[in-house]
Amino acid sequence: MDRVPPRVLSAAVGLIVLALWELLARTVYAGSYRLSPPTAVVVDFFEFRDLYLRNLWHSTKTAAWGFLWGNLAAIALAGVASIIPVLRRSIGAIALTIFCLPFIAVAPILRLITGPGNGTPIALSALAVVFTTYVAALLGFDLAPGSALDVVRSYGRGRFAAFRRVRLRASVPAMIAGLQIAAPAAFLGAVVGEFTGARSGLGILTVRALGSLNTDRIWVIALLSTIVATGGYMAIGALGRYLCPWSPALDLGAVPTPRQEPGLVNRLVALLAPILVVFVFWYAFLWVFQIKPFFAKTPFDVWAELFTNADAAETRSSVFGALGTTLWTTSLGYVAGLVGAMVTAVVFILVPWLERSLMPLAVALRSIPIIVTTPVIILFVGRGLLTTTAIVAVMSFFPTLVNCYAAMRRTPEGILDVLKSYDARSVANVRNAYLPSAVPALLASARIAVPTSLLGATVAEWLATGDGIGAVMVIAFTRNDYNVLWVSVAVLTLVAVVGYWLVAAVELRALERMAPGVSR
Amino acid sequence: MARRGAPVDVVGVGRTFALGGGEVEALRGFDMHVPAGGFNALIGPSGCGKSTALRLVAGLDVPDEGTIDMDGASPDQMRRGRRIGVAFQDPSLLPWRTVSTNIRLALELVGRRHDTAAVSDLIELVGLQGFEKARPAQLSGGMRQRVAIARSLVTEPDLLLLDEPFGALDALTRQQLNDELQRIWTARGTTTILVTHSIPEAVYVADEVLVMSPRPGRVVAHHAIDFERPRTRELLLTDEFHAKVEAVSGSLHRSEGQVVRLEADDS
């Protein structure tokens, strides 16, 4: 097994998977509307080729515009944060809040501004890339060599000159790594935007196919989305290798959380300033776009709706009850995904030929936005509570697996040699070297997975399950109940931000204990 | 003196690595004998296969030809019997463990987890009292290396293998650790092989210095070092010491010159 070239092995595994898939679809799942055989998928694609290509082109165009605007905004934000460090925390808070928005429920609100056209999918697509590109660009700016910065300073030039001449150049590898992640994310944003209504595009095509239980169509769309998203990811990766061949591929999956400043006052400022900034942005958003009061809800309106209005108790019980369901199903999937990823990474470490045959698949699946394949999972698992759990588990599984396995492989050779010199068993190696080495990557992945899991859960609930806060939002949307819609968006975003910071706090503690000097 | 370690006999060992498309012959006809309780230093030009030789003796790698025998046991048997202690240039400590739990790791691996007395003895021996609870990141390079040495010794191995353990340290710390290494070796009497770049270091601590040829490495000169023990820093200033260093240095230069001549012959 060890002598088979990886490409051959992957190809063989791919063929076996395809054959099994065909077999299952033709036998066990025949007539179940769950699984389309690969052959039927291909036939359906060619039969309705014009329809598919037209909508694919539409979604890709949308994603490209979103990619452009979102990344420009993110890089500009990172630039400001780099040149004016005081603003860093506040800008970071805005980027994180955007990342934590339940996109599917934001779409109806955005549509008030953009009208019924293509604006909302483009806007969502842009929002979907802001955070990751912001983090990548800022990391790139920070990685600029201190000595080069000192040279600029020694000529009496200021921060802006240092940014323009040194930091911007130094950031290219990190930027490329960020843009690589942004490509599939932009596609995800576009498709999610289309889920809530569009004239054309793969998203709306999916919603119609789900309505008419057109299994083949849903599978074709999922595969097309996968191919395009992965293609974008790989194209930018190739561009990166062409532009900066000297730089190793940067892994943004494990960018650590910045360290907290010590002192109570600093901490209070660190906590309150971002909240204030987000509120300011909230008001600015309503003011700039002059949204009518019927649709526009301020933070105070949301507060009133939840706590002081006549029907506040009713709103609370419906929103928080549904939120409880969502959190329960989501956390089940979240934990299952993380644990499963860790276990799989350990198995891959212990059984190298398994890793060589399956890892390329996992890497490819990590780059695709699992959310665009939500309809497929809905078909396969059904429309129960388990659907949400399954989608969240799949979403958190692949990035965590890839990051944790990479971290385990980075376990220093010397440590492994020491263990080997005592003839340590596999269990001892895993416990003493591999698992601890992967903890920082696990926690970084777990942190990023909080918002993405909630996003996946709400999309699943919105499209299919009819449970949880996603369902509350879709009902509010159809009834034009903008109060409940805003309340849900605000509560969900808050939950995601808090969850993100809780994991970040655990991460900081663990890093200080396990790998001092890694956190910045 | 405590019990003696195992003698090491290496005969005609060769090892070739596949590298990229080609092959690199690291060792050819490598012979070495270390008596029980002896202290040998292995010295040679960069990339001559010193570390490869040490890894073979440690049972971390397997020779393509030749034999390695230690008191009737193969390196692999020694390794499986947990009778070897190793320390490398990189201390390779577990960053998430403290000084004492890093040392205890070796005991855990040999199934003597509760032998806390051994850990505290070693901490004292390497002079790290008061730092038991510190983590590697809080220690200086020299202190980390002491932890690595303590870890390699805590199981009371029959064979101690040191691969440039002080290579990354400053000269002062290095001399200090050489003194301690000598003291520890005198106290424990473990058979020891030290790979080093530094001729004075080799001459200062070892019973015998073996000089290796450039790749493919083999031993080309033996220098018996019979200064009385315990050796002190005054020794460093004596003419006898300098004469030994000069002699080893001469063999090393001749061995490096060999490549040049060989390459000239080839063309």
Side-chain angles (χ1 to χ4, degrees):
Chain A
M1 274 293 191
D2 288 344
R3 299 199 179 271
V4 185
R7 272 168 204 276
V8 178
L9 210 51
S10 312
V13 170
L15 284 177
I16 293 170
V17 168
L18 276 180
L20 268 179
W21 178 355
E22 181 83 30
L23 190 72
L24 278 177
R26 296 268 175 217
T27 54
V28 182
Y29 290 103
S32 69
Y33 295 104
R34 289 186 176 187
L35 195 61
S36 287
T39 46
V41 169
V42 172
V43 167
D44 192 73
F45 171 74
F46 281 105
E47 194 173 331
F48 299 97
R49 195 171 48 186
D50 289 345
L51 174 80
Y52 286 126
L53 290 183
R54 196 171 61 239
N55 286 290
L56 178 66
W57 172 237
H58 186 85
S59 296
T60 311
K61 222 166 45 183
T62 303
W65 280 113
F67 182 81
L68 178 72
W69 291 118
N71 285 321
L72 280 180
I75 293 169
L77 283 177
V80 174
S82 170
I83 298 170
I84 314 170
V86 188
L87 295 182
R88 186 178 272 227
R89 209 172 271 282
S90 306
I91 294 177
I94 294 167
L96 176 64
T97 308
I98 290 174
F99 187 53
C100 289
L101 289 173
F103 287 161
I104 190 118
V106 171
I109 294 171
L110 285 178
R111 186 151 286 122
L112 298 171
I113 304 163
T114 63
N118 209 19
T120 298
I122 291 179
L124 276 186
S125 170
L127 290 178
V129 306
V130 166
F131 180 72
T132 45
T133 304
Y134 169 79
V135 170
L138 198 55
L139 176 76
F141 296 148
D142 287 346
L143 285 180
S147 52
L149 295 173
D150 286 343
V151 170
V152 175
R153 201 175 309 144
S154 74
Y155 285 108
R157 303 295 300 274
R159 279 195 188 129
F160 189 74
F163 178 79
R164 202 165 67 88
R165 296 191 185 275
V166 180
R167 292 192 190 275
L168 210 51
R169 280 295 187 83
S171 71
V172 171
M175 204 93 89
I176 298 263
L179 295 182
Q180 213 179 347
I181 301 174
F187 199 78
L188 166 151
V191 172
V192 169
E194 290 165 357
F195 279 160
T196 62
R199 290 208 184 98
S200 77
L202 290 182
I204 194 69
L205 203 60
T206 308
V207 174
R208 290 191 196 129
L210 268 176
S212 60
L213 218 61
N214 187 339
T215 316
D216 290 349
R217 178 150 300 168
I218 290 166
W219 279 96
V220 173
I221 296 170
L223 284 177
L224 285 179
S225 307
T226 306
I227 291 167
V228 170
T230 313
Y233 180 86
M234 293 196 324
I236 293 174
L239 182 72
R241 281 189 297 279
Y242 173 74
L243 284 180
C244 26
W246 67 87
S247 170
L250 262 175
D251 191 359
L252 295 174
V255 173
T257 319
R259 200 184 285 272
Q260 287 277 349
E261 301 291 331
L264 188 65
V265 176
N266 277 335
R267 288 203 173 181
L268 269 180
V269 171
L271 187 72
L272 294 179
I275 297 177
L276 197 69
V277 168
V278 168
F279 279 166
V280 168
F281 251 71
W282 189 334
Y283 277 105
F285 171 78
L286 298 180
W287 182 75
V288 165
F289 293 105
Q290 292 294 315
I291 306 169
K292 292 193 184 81
F294 174 75
F295 304 113
K297 304 296 165 191
T298 66
F300 287 105
D301 294 334
V302 167
W303 179 268
E305 183 67 19
L306 270 179
F307 298 106
T308 55
N309 280 359
D311 53 356
E314 200 185 320
T315 310
R316 274 205 307 272
S317 80
S318 104
V319 168
F320 288 126
L323 182 69
T325 313
T326 302
L327 287 184
W328 171 237
T329 48
T330 306
S331 31
L332 265 183
Y334 176 80
V335 171
L338 296 185
V339 171
M342 249 341 216
V343 170
T344 312
V346 168
V347 170
F348 278 2
I349 284 283
L350 297 180
V351 193
W353 65 264
L354 208 59
E355 184 270 328
R356 291 198 306 146
S357 27
L358 294 180
M359 202 58 175
L361 197 67
V363 171
L365 285 176
R366 173 183 75 154
S367 68
I368 66 161
I370 298 288
I371 291 181
V372 302
T373 63
T374 302
V376 167
I377 302 178
I378 292 170
L379 279 183
F380 196 74
V381 184
R383 287 177 181 252
L385 278 176
L386 200 63
T387 315
T388 316
T389 305
I391 285 167
V392 171
V394 172
M395 279 180 54
S396 49
F397 177 80
F398 286 105
T400 310
L401 168 63
V402 174
N403 292 338
C404 288
Y405 177 76
M408 288 183 189
R409 284 300 295 268
R410 284 195 297 268
T411 304
E413 278 299 313
I415 289 178
L416 296 175
D417 273 347
V418 167
L419 289 164
K420 194 180 170 193
S421 76
Y422 294 107
D423 195 35
R425 306 276 169 236
S426 304
V427 178
N429 283 339
V430 167
R431 208 187 50 208
N432 289 304
Y434 291 121
L435 276 186
S437 296
V439 165
L442 172 69
L443 290 172
S445 309
R447 169 164 52 87
I448 297 289
V450 172
T452 54
S453 293
L454 281 168
L455 177 59
T458 46
V459 168
E461 289 168 349
W462 182 288
L463 287 180
T465 67
D467 278 304
I469 196 149
V472 167
M473 293 190 298
V474 79
I475 292 164
F477 168 54
T478 49
R479 287 183 186 159
N480 277 337
D481 186 347
Y482 281 87
N483 278 321
V484 170
L485 204 55
W486 279 89
V487 165
S488 310
V489 170
V491 167
L492 263 175
T493 308
L494 187 68
V495 166
V497 171
V498 168
Y500 181 95
W501 276 110
L502 282 180
V503 181
V506 175
E507 185 189 8
L508 272 181
R509 289 208 145 206
L511 281 185
E512 250 157 53
R513 212 184 110 85
M514 308 201 38
V518 172
S519 60
R520 287 177 293 142
Chain B
M1 183 176 289
R3 71 213 171 92
R4 318 287 289 189
V8 180
D9 276 297
V10 182
V11 182
V13 158
R15 178 78 176 102
T16 303
F17 296 100
L19 195 74
E23 288 189 333
V24 173
E25 193 177 14
L27 297 172
R28 186 201 294 164
F30 179 84
D31 298 315
M32 174 170 73
H33 172 76
V34 192
F39 195 145
N40 278 26
L42 212 49
I43 201 157
S46 294
C48 74
K50 300 185 292 276
S51 297
T52 305
L54 207 73
R55 290 177 61 83
L56 293 175
V57 176
L60 296 174
D61 194 7
V62 186
D64 297 320
E65 54 189 55
T67 58
I68 305 175
D69 175 88
M70 298 168 211
D71 227 357
S74 71
D76 202 50
Q77 285 167 330
M78 290 283 283
R79 184 175 67 84
R80 289 179 191 282
R82 283 102 181 231
R83 292 168 65 194
I84 299 179
V86 294
F88 307 105
Q89 175 168 358
D90 182 318
S92 299
L93 304 177
L94 304 183
W96 46 89
R97 286 189 173 223
T98 63
V99 165
S100 58
T101 49
N102 256 298
I103 298 174
R104 202 181 67 194
L105 173 72
L107 289 176
E108 290 171 14
L109 292 171
V110 304
R112 282 167 47 198
R113 143 188 301 276
H114 300 294
D115 196 349
T116 46
V119 174
S120 45
D121 282 356
L122 252 309
I123 286 177
E124 207 184 311
L125 191 66
V126 298
L128 281 175
Q129 304 99 310
F131 292 94
E132 289 86 348
K133 297 254 183 290
R135 287 179 203 285
Q138 298 165 285
L139 304 177
S140 70
M143 290 159 91
R144 274 179 232 164
Q145 212 45 265
R146 287 165 205 247
V147 179
I149 301 237
R151 181 180 60 193
S152 67
L153 282 168
V154 73
T155 58
E156 296 181 33
D158 295 327
L159 178 62
L160 179 61
L161 301 172
L162 306 171
D163 187 359
E164 299 219 35
F166 312 135
L169 305 180
D170 62 278
L172 208 65
T173 314
R174 195 167 177 153
Q175 182 55 44
Q176 207 176 356
L177 286 176
N178 282 334
D179 285 331
E180 287 184 24
L181 179 59
Q182 189 196 189
R183 187 168 52 75
I184 291 166
W185 175 77
T186 319
R188 294 279 171 127
T190 310
T191 312
T192 302
I193 303 175
L194 169 74
V195 162
T196 177
H197 262 117
S198 157
I199 300 172
E201 176 170 281
V203 173
Y204 186 74
V205 295
D207 290 336
E208 187 177 31
V209 177
L210 307 180
V211 179
M212 286 179 70
S213 69
R215 210 169 50 217
R218 64 195 170 81
V219 176
V220 291
H222 299 253
H223 292 267
I225 314 288
D226 36 25
F227 299 122
E228 238 175 70
R229 295 195 191 257
R231 297 170 187 167
T232 60
R233 292 187 197 186
E234 277 85 67
L235 176 68
L236 297 172
L237 306 170
T238 61
D239 290 341
E240 292 84 351
F241 184 78
H242 285 208
K244 268 293 178 218
V245 169
E246 283 300 318
V248 174
S249 169
S251 329
L252 190 59
H253 282 137
R254 277 194 296 283
S255 107
E256 282 174 1
Q258 273 181 352
V259 213
V260 181
R261 274 205 304 281
L262 280 175
E263 281 168 359
D265 288 348
D266 283 349
S267 64

